[in-house]
Amino acid sequence: MRATALAGGTGAAKFLRGLASCTNPRDLTVIGNTADDADIWGLHVSPDLDTLTYALTGRLDLRRGWGLAEESFNALAAMAALGGEAWFRLGDRDLATHIYRTRALRAGRRLSEVTEAIGRALGLGVSLLPMSDDPVRTRIQTPDGWLAFQHYFVRDGARPPVIGIEYAGAGTAAPAPGVLDAIRTADVVIVCPSNPITSIGPILSVPGIREALHETTAVVLAISPIVGGAPVSGPAGDLMRACGLPVTAAGVARAYAPWLDLLVIDRQDSTERHAVLEFGAEPVLAETLLTDHDREVALARRVLEVLA
Ligand code: FO1
């Protein structure tokens, strides 16, 4: 069964670790969000692509959910001592990835080529594609003006009230090579348990991707990142509210209507089943809290069982 996943960072990485351990990784294509990408110290940082790559090659710091395990932060401390920018915590070994990527991009290579090269070098079994080679950037509107996503999320701790969201550059972006084909030719498309607004929303904003989801003959299944009326982690609640969506599993179904076939919701949200159905998706109950590897594998097995 050929599967294509739409993925953000940490939540997606956990689910995909489970999926990759019970399917052939070569049958799995992952389309990663790049709208969180940021320029830090003149380096091109792609947090979600790196989180996915590190997670699926056993390198991720599982406690933080980003960066490398057993990392040190000496360069960051030295930067702070100089009075330089130190709010975004780049680890010493992680820096090599950003330097490698930045040099390759400056030499004229595309983000998709560089992502492939990094994956190959680190032994990544799945095919990881950025959603686009063109810059698309999530920007958050607050009462004090617009903020780049990492300024809102990391520097300001997701505290500013959210008035609006935009995906700057989306209008003129093209899907990266292979993205549309991966959606059109898959047997199943899985929307990972990621933030619908800042992880999946930017992927959907790239021209052609929504159309491919409409047209594909694949079964399209999503896993709700909202459990018990609250996001599993992060600011998805504030962002969904700002987009006029209820912070519920049904709100997720609404964000992905009308191309979604199945929505996996947590057992504690079973009362949402009818509301999910009203948005055209069939609800599937499962344990969706991925607090350890056994649960990651159990959720992947449940998804495969439903799809079979
Ligand atoms: N998230 C944080 O909350 N604080 C950080 O200092 C931070 C640094 C960082 C460095 C590299 C990287 O790949 C990711 C990093 N993240 C950090 C995570 C990341 O910014 C967000 O989790 C994602 O953008 C949301 O998907």
Side-chain angles (χ1 to χ4, degrees), residues 8-10 33 36-37 45-51 54 64-67 73 76 86-91 94 98 149-150 153-155 195 198-199:
T10 309
N33 169 41
D36 292 3
D37 286 18
V45 180
S46 293
D48 286 356
L49 297 181
D50 291 347
T51 298
Y54 293 163
R64 281 196 305 266
W66 50 267
F73 291 88
L76 186 82
W87 56 268
F88 198 77
R89 305 187 60 221
L90 292 182
D94 187 33
H98 313 310
F149 178 74
Q150 298 298 349
F153 184 65
V154 175
R155 191 195 64 188
N195 185 321
T198 55
S199 297

Side-chain angles (χ1 to χ4, degrees), residues 31-91:
I31 299 170
N33 169 41
T34 55
D36 292 3
D37 286 18
D39 182 303
I40 309 284
W41 303 346
L43 301 174
H44 185 120
V45 180
S46 293
D48 286 356
L49 297 181
D50 291 347
T51 298
L52 294 165
T53 302
Y54 293 163
L56 294 170
T57 59
R59 289 175 167 83
L60 187 72
D61 183 303
L62 296 171
R63 195 184 45 81
R64 281 196 305 266
W66 50 267
L68 289 160
E70 289 162 35
E71 182 62 290
S72 56
F73 291 88
N74 294 310
L76 186 82
M79 183 61 84
L82 291 172
E85 228 179 21
W87 56 268
F88 198 77
R89 305 187 60 221
L90 292 182

Side-chain angles (χ1 to χ4, degrees), residues 209-300:
I209 293 189
R210 265 182 219 273
E211 291 77 0
L213 286 162
H214 272 286
E215 286 160 16
T216 184
T217 52
V219 176
V220 185
L221 173 148
I223 301 152
S224 172
I226 303 295
V227 175
V232 174
S233 66
D238 287 349
L239 295 161
M240 286 178 75
R241 266 188 293 273
C243 292
L245 292 170
V247 188
T248 58
V252 178
R254 191 164 126 195
Y256 300 153
W259 41 264
L260 188 65
D261 298 313
L262 301 165
L263 181 66
V264 178
I265 63 175
D266 197 83
R267 290 195 194 283
Q268 50 177 298
D269 293 317
S270 61
T271 53
E272 296 272 319
R273 276 177 300 179
H274 299 293
V276 168
L277 257 179
E278 277 174 25
F279 290 110
E282 194 180 315
V284 173
L285 294 181
E287 301 289 347
T288 65
L289 285 176
L290 302 179
T291 42
D292 59 44
H293 190 58
D294 287 349
R295 282 173 160 263
E296 295 168 1
V297 175
L299 179 59

Side-chain angles (χ1 to χ4, degrees), residues 165-178:
I165 290 122
E166 70 169 19
Y167 309 122
T172 52

